[in-house]
Structures are given as structure tokens and as C-alpha cells.
Amino acid sequence: PVIHNYAATNLIPRHLGPEYIIHGAKLYSPWDPTKTEVTLVVSEWFFDRSLHLIEHLDDKDHPFSEVVVMVPPAAAAHDDYDLMTEVPVRTQHRGAPDFMDLCEADIKTDWFMITNSYHHVARHVDLMFTPGTFKPVIPFTPATYAFCFKYPYCKETINLAQRFNPGHDKVVQDMDMLYNTEMRNAFCKEWKEENGEEGELMYKSQQRRLMFRKKIIGPPGPTGTSYYAWLVREGKDGMYKLTDRSLYGARPPFVKIFAKEEKLDGMSEDELAKRIGMTLLDNSTDCNCMEFETETDCEDSGIGCIWRPLFESCHPPELIDGSAPICPTTEAPTSAPTVSMDGIFDETDSPTSSPVEPEPEKDPWYVSVFKSRESEKDRSNSFNEANGGSMQSPDDDEILGSEKASRARRAMLKKSKSFEAVDLQANERLLASPDNL
């Protein structure tokens, strides 16, 4: 093509094509090995996953002149790295928690970058520098609600950075930053004075917040954001050129290839039992176009990734045409199972409630009087039946002549008069009730 539109794109000469006219590109200088030596620090644990990074290092276009692998004190050191790569590799056993690797790594060069064993080096690590002054170009994300504050971890990262620089509003990813070793040493010295040698004082003053939540979601150690905030406060941020990744984008220098393993390795035994053991389901899926580094792998990904030949990179289609994301976006950890539950449980409608018997209607206040009258009648009938007859015979003229029967009849007539008196009093009370007034 004669003209190409590179609006809002940071480039180095390698990205330019055969076009004669370019529009909108911000052109920077590439890394110059004669001016800058860069060390790569790799945080490792117990599973030797960093070997994947090291074994493929020679296949990448990268600036690293040395690799330092940070391992736990009990982990064995490899002595065969020279068989895996031409880049010098050395092992350093930690003397502090893993989140302190940024400050604890023993660096011999002026500059270094950091990643972990769940990543490998991108096919092209396009470090950019300003022409002439040769300042590193570092992408940042603006600290706004859309990009940061709605995520608790990012919000807490900014809160911690503002301890160094109140009003700090830029998020710099740890793996995007090109650290200056001398500045790192000065920053970490002050960071430890403020937060303790192992960060034990970071959240000590947050007891009030801990009263209202189980834990604070945030970084346990120093971050690239805090490092840059310290530089701003010290007036040394001019050694970098920052560019807004929300406007101009950024190319990651490291690609995560062990996403599922990273989640599982960070879980306790109880969490693993809840996540996998008890449910027999694995809720995490790998859906990452960036891990495909060739055109063939990208097009054969099976998830719809698109290859961009100009930048030799693989991207999800939504980054190119704004379509719907091909990978499900959920808050971590995801709760959507990847195994269908059809047939395991019976289908039901909305949850049904247990049947509840209706409460019986309460009787009016005067009913108890009539119930007592009915009770008296029942007792009188029982009395008559016990004496072999009823109070009234079928014919009133046929009266028992015996003396015993006469006494019984007089007694029942006396009780009948008392029933009438009770009935009269009940009717009088009914007429005098508030409802009839």
C-alpha cells in the first residue's frame, strides 16, 4: 500500500511496512544492546516451570543478557542451564518471601525486568526508547473507575502508591516496567523502612478496615506502581517516558502460558477440595490468543483468534473489529462450570414453599358463653340418660308418678331457669358491645 493508517499506535522501525506515507504513528527507537544491558528476573517455586521459559529463550527476539531465577530456599539449583540456552542463567535462593523478589534479586546490570515461571518471553520483546535521549517508554493505565477502581486489587495498589506520592493516578504493571537497578535499591530501602523487611507493616494501620472485612485484597509487597510513585516524589520520573496504554495500546513482553496452574498452585488444600475435589469440576479454562505465536497456531486455535502479520501477533477478534468477546468474561474466580450439569438433577420450577395451614378464625368474645351453655346441656342430657329417661317425655301428660322421678324433674326445671338467666345476660352483653353502639 502507498499509505497506511497507524493512528494511536506506538511503533519501532520493525513494525513499518513498504508504504510510503504513514499516518498517526508514534515512532520510537528499539533497544540498543551497546547502550543497555538488561537482566531478566524469573520468580520460581517448586515445579520447575521456569525451564519452559529458559528452553525457548533462544527462539525469541529479546534484550536479556542474563537470567536470574529466584527459587525457594529448599529448592535444588540446576547446573545444566547452559544446555538449554546461550544466555547466562544463575539461581538465587530467596532469603525473603516471594513477593519481595523485586527488591531481593541480585542484579549486576543497570536495568532489569521481572516475570514469573507461569509466563514465557514473547516472540518479540519490543522495548521502546525515545529517540536521542534514549529514555525507556513505559505503558501505564489511568487510575479511573473503568480501568482500575472497580477492581479491589488495583484500587489497593493505588492506595499504597499514594503513600509515596499523594494524588498518584497511574498504574504501571510490574512486568511492563524496565527497572533501573540503582533507583530500585533506593526505593526498596525506603519501602522496607516504611513497611518492614517482609512487608509485615503494610496493613498494620488498617485495623479499622479489617473490622469490616475479612481481609484486604491488595499486593503483599512492592510493586511497579509504587516504584514509579516514589520516582515522581523524588523528581526522578523524568528518566522514563510514559504512554497511556488505553489510548496507544501496549505489547506485553511476557505471555502467560500456565494460567490454570497459576490459579491451582495458589490455592490451599481446602480451597482445592472445594474447587475440584468436591465438585469434580475444573472451572478454569484457557482462552488466550496471545499464547499463539505463529500464524498457523493462531488460525488453528479453534477459538476464533486473528493473526496480525504486521506485528506478528495473535489477537481476539474483539480487539480488531469491536465484536463480542470470544472468551467468557467473569469475575475471578469463575463460577460457571465447564461441564454440563444436564441430567444430574431433576428439573424444577421456582423453589416451592412448604404448605402452611391457614390460621383458624378466632371466635367472637361472646361465643364462650354459649359454649358453656352447650356444655351444661350435654351434662344434663347425660344426667337424664343415667336416670333412664329424658327431661321431657313424648307426651307431657304422661308423667312418671314415682316420687324419685318427680324430684328429678323439679331439679331439672330449676336448672332450666338458670340457663335462661345466663342466656339473657349474654344477649344483654351482645347488645351492649362496641360494634352495636
Side-chain angles (χ1 to χ4, degrees):
V2 177
I3 186 171
H4 199 109
N5 183 9
Y6 292 103
T9 307
N10 293 332
L11 301 175
I12 57 177
R14 182 183 72 81
H15 299 138
L16 297 177
E19 57 274 354
Y20 294 98
I21 302 174
I22 61 175
H23 168 69
K26 286 196 171 185
L27 192 61
Y28 293 103
S29 299
W31 162 73
D32 185 349
T34 64
K35 293 183 178 180
T36 307
E37 288 189 340
V38 181
T39 296
L40 174 60
V41 177
V42 182
S43 295
E44 174 63 284
W45 288 273
F46 292 99
F47 305 104
D48 281 340
R49 293 197 174 98
S50 60
L51 295 182
H52 184 279
L53 181 153
I54 295 170
E55 290 171 350
H56 293 83
L57 193 57
D58 291 348
D59 301 331
K60 316 293 183 177
D61 175 20
H62 65 83
F64 306 119
S65 59
E66 185 182 33
V67 177
V68 177
V69 182
M70 304 290 293
V71 299
H78 285 270
D79 56 3
D80 57 349
Y81 286 129
D82 58 332
L83 302 178
M84 306 176 192
T85 177
E86 295 179 356
V87 179
V89 181
R90 58 185 169 92
T91 301
Q92 178 180 337
H93 288 88
R94 293 190 183 96
D98 53 5
F99 53 77
M100 295 299 297
D101 285 353
L102 173 61
C103 290
E104 296 299 314
D106 181 20
I107 308 299
K108 308 298 184 184
T109 58
D110 292 337
W111 302 88
F112 74 95
M113 299 185 76
I114 189 168
T115 186
N116 61 42
S117 59
Y118 300 108
H119 295 71
H120 70 184
V121 177
R123 187 177 184 184
H124 295 284
V125 181
D126 292 324
L127 295 184
M128 297 182 181
F129 298 85
T130 57
T133 56
F134 213 66
K135 296 179 181 179
V137 178
I138 306 297
F140 76 90
T141 303
T144 61
Y145 179 80
F147 292 114
C148 179
F149 293 138
K150 67 179 180 180
Y151 306 105
Y153 189 95
C154 184
K155 182 178 180 181
E156 192 61 34
T157 299
I158 288 293
N159 289 339
L160 295 173
Q162 289 179 348
R163 296 182 184 181
F164 293 104
N165 177 37
H168 189 73
D169 59 356
K170 294 178 176 64
V171 180
V172 179
Q173 298 292 337
D174 296 352
M175 298 184 192
D176 286 338
M177 175 57 76
L178 180 61
Y179 297 91
N180 179 272
T181 305
E182 183 180 354
M183 294 298 101
R184 186 282 308 257
N185 295 340
F187 160 71
C188 288
K189 182 176 182 295
E190 183 171 339
W191 190 94
K192 291 179 181 179
E193 291 173 354
E194 295 291 333
N195 300 290
E197 290 292 322
E198 299 180 356
E200 62 273 13
L201 304 179
M202 280 187 68
Y203 300 105
K204 187 175 182 181
S205 61
Q206 307 297 317
Q207 296 301 320
R208 178 178 175 83
R209 293 172 63 191
L210 290 171
M211 292 174 59
F212 300 98
R213 61 183 75 178
K214 293 182 179 180
K215 63 178 181 179
I216 296 176
I217 300 175
T223 63
T225 302
S226 291
Y227 166 76
Y228 185 74
W230 178 85
L231 289 174
V232 174
R233 191 199 68 185
E234 296 296 313
K236 298 179 180 179
D237 55 307
M239 64 191 306
Y240 293 100
K241 163 70 175 177
L242 262 66
T243 178
D244 190 339
R245 75 187 309 148
S246 67
L247 298 177
Y248 300 102
R251 298 172 189 85
F254 309 103
V255 178
K256 184 178 291 187
I257 58 172
F258 295 117
K260 185 184 302 184
E261 290 81 356
E262 183 179 26
K263 291 181 179 180
L264 297 179
D265 290 350
M267 293 182 180
S268 65
E269 293 183 0
D270 291 340
E271 290 172 332
L272 281 173
K274 293 178 181 178
R275 180 73 177 268
I276 298 178
M278 293 175 61
T279 62
L280 299 179
L281 297 174
D282 188 355
N283 291 336
S284 62
T285 57
D286 289 332
C287 187
N288 180 18
C289 292
M290 295 297 295
E291 67 178 346
F292 304 110
E293 298 184 304
T294 66
E295 183 175 2
T296 302
D297 292 341
C298 183
E299 293 178 349
D300 295 342
S301 64
I303 57 177
C305 300
I306 297 177
W307 180 256
R308 298 188 70 187
L310 180 63
F311 299 103
E312 296 181 340
S313 57
C314 188
H315 298 275
E318 63 265 19
L319 288 183
I320 299 174
D321 56 15
S323 58
I326 60 175
C327 300
T329 56
T330 59
E331 297 292 335
T334 177
S335 58
T338 55
V339 178
S340 174
M341 300 296 288
D342 294 339
I344 298 179
F345 301 108
D346 295 333
E347 294 185 0
T348 60
D349 296 327
S350 58
T352 55
S353 58
S354 301
V356 179
E357 294 183 0
E359 294 184 1
E361 295 183 1
K362 294 183 179 180
D363 294 332
W365 60 271
Y366 54 83
V367 172
S368 60
V369 177
F370 296 105
K371 286 184 176 180
S372 63
R373 184 177 180 223
E374 291 172 357
S375 178
E376 291 291 342
K377 287 183 178 179
D378 290 340
R379 285 196 296 269
S380 65
N381 290 336
S382 299
F383 177 81
N384 290 333
E385 291 174 0
N387 287 278
S390 63
M391 187 176 65
Q392 289 185 338
S393 64
D395 187 354
D396 288 341
D397 294 335
E398 295 179 4
I399 303 174
L400 296 175
S402 67
E403 182 178 355
K404 183 177 180 181
S406 298
R407 287 199 300 270
R409 185 173 182 276
R410 285 195 297 271
M412 296 306 301
L413 287 174
K414 186 177 181 180
K415 286 184 179 182
S416 176
K417 291 181 180 180
S418 65
F419 291 161
E420 292 176 359
V422 172
D423 193 22
L424 178 62
Q425 292 174 3
N427 290 333
E428 290 175 350
R429 286 195 297 271
L430 178 61
L431 293 174
S433 66
D435 294 336
N436 295 322
L437 295 178

